[in-house]
Amino acid sequence: MSIAQLGNSYAFPHPTHALVEPNGLLAFGGDLCAERLRVAYHEGIFPWFSPDELPLWWSPDPRAVLIPGELHTGRTLRRFIRKLPYQITVNYAFDQVIYGCAQRQEGTWIGSDVQQGYQALHQEGLAHSIEVWYDCQLVGGLYGVNVGTLFCGESMFSKMENASKCAFVAFYHHFLHHGGQLLDCQVLNHHTKSLGAKNIPRKEFLQHLYLCREQSLQAGCWAAQMLDL
């Protein structure tokens, strides 16, 4: 089975047309303008590719998610949070967070075109960041895309102990408090699995997505603010 090449249209093939191997590869080409990214996330699709490649678009099966009520914080992390040395904010420094994610070895796919695309999406109020500060210095954070009452996490980074985990936990509670229904972690890894994420079939994920994208978060969720843990 071949995959679709995207042209000037922002339309994507249905996620069920994605390849089995490599898992979830759906299309290639196009650009990373804000409108194309918006359409992709609205359909359960995300980009991931190396800087020397054309954009590749994915919708894997299964899909990694964190369901409300299933966040796991181990004893060591709970003890760390009780002594929390950090300040945590939302939408204070989006550009710095995505740059921080790009500096990780695993974040080398986040080239300048990717950063510019998500920065444009942030300007439209659809991409958001959580920041972790220590002594007025940014030491961790995460960013992702909001689709109704679903949040699609893209990447996170940490320069100090548990910084990205603290960002994730603080955001989880903030998101649910404002009516969030599901956190999309895309592909399960050790970090997200340790926080309670699990795989569900793509069909089930899409059912959640179609419901969430018709709903809205409570006002004030994405206003620049301090977060509590």
Side-chain angles (χ1 to χ4, degrees):
M1 182 184 296
S2 61
I3 61 172
Q5 180 173 5
L6 302 183
N8 294 329
S9 169
Y10 296 141
F12 284 88
H14 191 273
T16 54
H17 293 169
L19 298 182
V20 174
E21 182 61 40
N23 180 17
L25 181 58
L26 179 67
F28 71 97
D31 56 21
L32 273 76
C33 70
E35 180 62 15
R36 193 183 301 275
L37 287 170
R38 185 193 66 78
V39 172
Y41 282 93
H42 194 74
E43 299 299 330
I45 301 161
F46 60 87
W48 184 77
F49 58 99
S50 298
D52 57 346
E53 296 177 332
L54 290 173
L56 301 177
W57 302 88
W58 304 78
S59 184
D61 186 14
R63 187 79 166 228
V65 300
L66 180 60
I67 295 171
E70 296 190 4
L71 176 69
H72 174 73
T73 52
R75 183 181 304 173
T76 300
L77 181 58
R78 290 197 301 271
R79 186 163 53 243
F80 185 88
I81 288 173
R82 284 197 294 270
K83 301 177 180 178
L84 189 66
Y86 305 135
Q87 295 77 47
I88 302 175
T89 58
V90 57
N91 280 336
Y92 267 50
F94 184 90
D95 292 359
Q96 290 175 255
V97 168
I98 195 170
Y99 179 79
C101 292
Q103 301 313 299
R104 299 170 54 237
Q105 182 176 357
E106 299 88 343
T108 52
W109 73 278
I110 308 175
S112 59
D113 55 343
V114 175
Q115 293 181 50
Q116 290 168 11
Y118 284 95
Q119 286 164 349
L121 207 61
H122 174 65
Q123 292 299 318
E124 294 192 2
L126 297 176
H128 306 281
S129 60
I130 310 300
E131 302 88 17
V132 182
W133 307 88
Y134 180 78
D135 195 23
C136 297
Q137 299 296 313
L138 185 68
V139 297
L142 64 88
Y143 77 95
V145 179
N146 181 220
V147 182
T149 55
L150 173 109
F151 185 80
C152 308
E154 271 300 314
S155 187
M156 57 178 64
F157 80 101
S158 183
K159 292 183 177 180
M160 292 184 67
E161 183 182 7
N162 290 323
S164 60
K165 287 186 176 182
C166 287
F168 190 94
V169 173
F171 171 68
Y172 169 89
H173 292 297
H174 177 76
F175 186 61
L176 266 58
H177 178 73
H178 286 83
Q181 296 294 316
L182 192 68
L183 288 168
D184 171 26
C185 302
Q186 298 180 346
V187 178
L188 198 64
N189 59 39
H190 174 75
H191 192 68
T192 53
K193 185 177 181 179
S194 71
L195 290 166
K198 66 180 183 181
N199 280 328
I200 63 173
R202 178 174 56 211
K203 180 179 179 180
E204 183 179 342
F205 169 76
L206 292 175
Q207 290 172 344
H208 285 297
L209 168 67
Y210 298 154
L211 290 174
C212 288
R213 72 187 189 185
E214 301 303 321
Q215 302 171 353
S216 299
L217 295 171
Q218 297 173 12
C221 183
W222 300 120
Q225 60 195 285
M226 299 283 293
L227 299 185
D228 296 321
L229 255 176

